[in-house]
């Protein structure tokens, strides 16, 4: 697939405070990469470095597997901190203004981009009359003017109501699947991020704590019946043959996690005890995604 953004020991300091500490980020072509962390964890700093808005103190960065950042930043679009929208201009006029700033003289891309973000029917409506969700989609439209391969979005759903969040979510999925745009996105709304991200990076106090695929998240948050027994070998035999459980794991010290008979704990307990296995504990374990993220980010927000 190839990498779109890689950082190597990326570090940024403000005085004595280290905002980003030796971060190794790996974003592949086609990813929707969710960057997760509390306020002040270093998310925006990493994004600003990638976009060339600020510079790192240590470490290296590669875009599209190249160190020629100036050339490859032309293949990027970004929304970091709300771009200025001119309230008395229409969506189209705003886009023409930003085309001019980018040195684009053919404004044929305006209608195309408006259609892409679902604002093609706003006509002469001034931006000041737009909902927050529409303004956010217009901000994303501005970032698409240069026809980017890679989009960086800092908190694009912050402050939106549920319908605005849905609009932006559907737009990002469409840009990723139909236009093949790789996306780096940060958000506080962890449950929402879990609906679109294909890969995650978790950052805490400037340190990248973990980086993993979305499929791994499902595995990590899988619910199970955890039982503690005095004879795990015998218990495993009973689970397989008497309870017809296909999906369980045996751990050290007599712990077994059962993933497929979650709604029959009393039946499992009865079957084991009647067959001479002592059960000292039986309980439901597992995280929802939000609880898991919060734990990885260093506790509650």
């Amino acid at each position: 697939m190839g990498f779109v953004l890689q950082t190597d020991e990326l570090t940024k300091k403000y005085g004595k405070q280290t905002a980003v500490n030796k971060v190794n980020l790996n974003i592949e072509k086609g990813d929707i990469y969710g960057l997760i962390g509390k306020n002040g964890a270093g998310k925006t700093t990493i994004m600003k470095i990638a976009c060339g808005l600020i510079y790192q103190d240590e470490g290296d960065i590669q875009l599209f597997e190249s160190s020629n950042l100036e050339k490859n930043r032309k293949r990027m679009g970004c929304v970091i901190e709300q771009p200025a929208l001119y309230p008395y201009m229409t969506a189209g006029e705003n886009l023409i203004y930003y085309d001019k700033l980018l040195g684009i003289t053919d404004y044929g891309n305006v209608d195309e981009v408006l259609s892409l973000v679902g604002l093609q029917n706003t006509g002469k409506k001034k931006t000041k009359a737009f909902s927050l969700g529409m303004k956010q989609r217009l901000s994303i439209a501005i970032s698409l003017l240069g026809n980017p391969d890679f989009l960086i979005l800092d908190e694009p759903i912050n402050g939106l109501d549920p319908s605005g969040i849905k609009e932006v979510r559907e737009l990002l999925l469409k840009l990723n699947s139909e236009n093949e745009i790789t996306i780096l996105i940060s958000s506080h709304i962890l449950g929402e991020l879990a609906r679109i991200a294909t890969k995650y990076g978790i950052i805490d106090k400037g340190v990248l704590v973990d980086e993993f695929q979305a499929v791994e998240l499902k595995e990590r948050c899988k619910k199970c019946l955890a039982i503690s027994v005095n004879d795990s070998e015998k218990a495993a035999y009973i689970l397989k043959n008497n309870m017809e459980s296909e999906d369980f794991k045996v751990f050290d010290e007599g712990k077994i996690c059962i993933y497929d008979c979650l709604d029959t704990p009393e039946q499992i307990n009865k079957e084991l005890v009647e067959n001479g296995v002592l059960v000292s504990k039986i309980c439901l374990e597992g995280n929802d995604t939000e609880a898991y993220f919060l734990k990885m980010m260093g506790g509650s927000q």
Side-chain angles (χ1 to χ4, degrees):
M1 289 293 278
F3 288 97
V4 170
L5 172 65
Q6 284 181 294
T7 69
D8 180 29
E9 303 284 288
L10 195 69
T11 302
K12 177 69 181 174
K13 296 175 183 174
Y14 293 103
K16 289 182 179 175
Q17 189 191 359
T18 304
V20 174
N21 193 356
K22 297 185 176 175
V23 165
N24 299 317
L25 214 60
N26 300 282
I27 301 175
E28 290 179 83
K29 182 171 171 29
D31 278 344
I32 298 181
Y33 189 108
L35 190 59
I36 296 170
K38 295 180 188 176
N39 273 335
K43 306 186 300 292
T44 304
T45 304
I46 291 169
M47 290 176 154
K48 283 182 172 177
I49 293 169
C51 295
L53 298 171
I54 57 174
Y55 293 94
Q56 69 268 34
D57 293 310
E58 294 165 32
D60 292 310
I61 180 170
Q62 282 204 326
L63 286 168
F64 303 98
E65 299 185 345
S66 162
S67 298
N68 188 341
L69 301 182
E70 193 179 339
K71 176 189 169 195
N72 285 301
R73 280 194 179 115
K74 289 175 180 158
R75 296 174 64 184
M76 291 170 60
C78 68
V79 181
I80 296 179
E81 289 153 0
Q82 196 75 27
L85 300 177
Y86 292 91
Y88 293 98
M89 285 183 178
T90 65
E93 287 164 350
N94 267 282
L95 290 181
I96 288 169
Y97 171 82
Y98 278 98
D99 260 346
K100 287 176 177 171
L101 280 186
L102 291 165
I104 297 168
T105 51
D106 177 6
Y107 306 141
N109 63 350
V110 169
D111 287 342
E112 189 185 324
V113 168
L114 282 176
S115 179
L116 204 56
V117 300
L119 293 175
Q120 67 272 34
N121 297 322
T122 51
K124 294 189 168 142
K125 190 175 187 176
K126 302 283 189 273
T127 310
K128 69 183 176 75
F130 280 16
S131 69
L132 205 52
M134 289 168 76
K135 286 177 180 171
Q136 196 58 283
R137 282 187 287 146
L138 183 54
S139 299
I140 293 170
I142 291 166
S143 73
L144 295 171
L145 286 171
N147 196 22
D149 297 309
F150 181 34
L151 210 51
I152 293 183
L153 306 171
D154 190 17
E155 300 279 358
I157 53 178
N158 210 9
L160 298 184
D161 63 14
S163 68
I165 289 172
K166 184 172 181 275
E167 286 169 8
V168 173
R169 178 178 76 232
E170 287 172 354
L171 170 60
L172 298 184
L173 288 169
K174 179 179 160 192
L175 293 174
N176 180 254
S177 62
E178 293 177 21
N179 297 71
E180 298 180 352
I181 297 175
T182 303
I183 299 170
L184 168 60
I185 175 175
S186 71
S187 178
H188 275 98
I189 306 172
L190 304 176
E192 190 55 44
L193 207 52
R195 297 176 76 169
I196 61 168
T198 60
K199 191 175 181 181
Y200 298 97
I202 298 179
I203 189 161
D204 184 36
K205 299 185 183 77
V207 176
L208 190 68
V209 181
D210 202 357
E211 192 178 60
F212 53 91
Q213 300 290 340
V215 286
E216 286 177 63
L217 179 67
K218 285 180 184 161
E219 197 58 39
R220 292 179 188 200
C221 295
K222 207 172 176 182
K223 286 200 164 24
C224 74
L225 267 181
I227 59 172
S228 299
V229 293
N230 67 331
D231 187 339
S232 48
E233 200 175 319
K234 192 174 180 184
Y237 178 84
I238 294 161
L239 286 170
K240 194 168 185 182
N241 293 285
N242 297 27
M243 294 300 298
E244 295 180 355
S245 173
E246 303 274 329
D247 191 6
F248 63 85
K249 278 183 192 164
V250 179
F251 297 91
D252 292 343
E253 295 162 10
K255 182 177 176 179
I256 300 177
C257 283
I258 307 160
Y259 299 99
D260 60 354
C261 298
L262 301 184
D263 51 356
T264 56
E266 64 291 330
Q267 193 61 40
I268 289 169
N269 188 46
K270 181 172 178 279
E271 204 67 42
L272 291 171
V273 173
E274 283 180 357
N275 285 281
V277 176
L278 296 177
V279 180
S280 56
K281 187 180 172 189
I282 185 161
C283 65
L284 193 64
E285 285 186 0
N287 291 303
D288 62 23
T289 51
E290 206 143 333
Y292 180 76
F293 284 141
L294 289 171
K295 190 169 77 180
M296 294 292 288
M297 283 156 48
S300 60
Q301 293 217 68

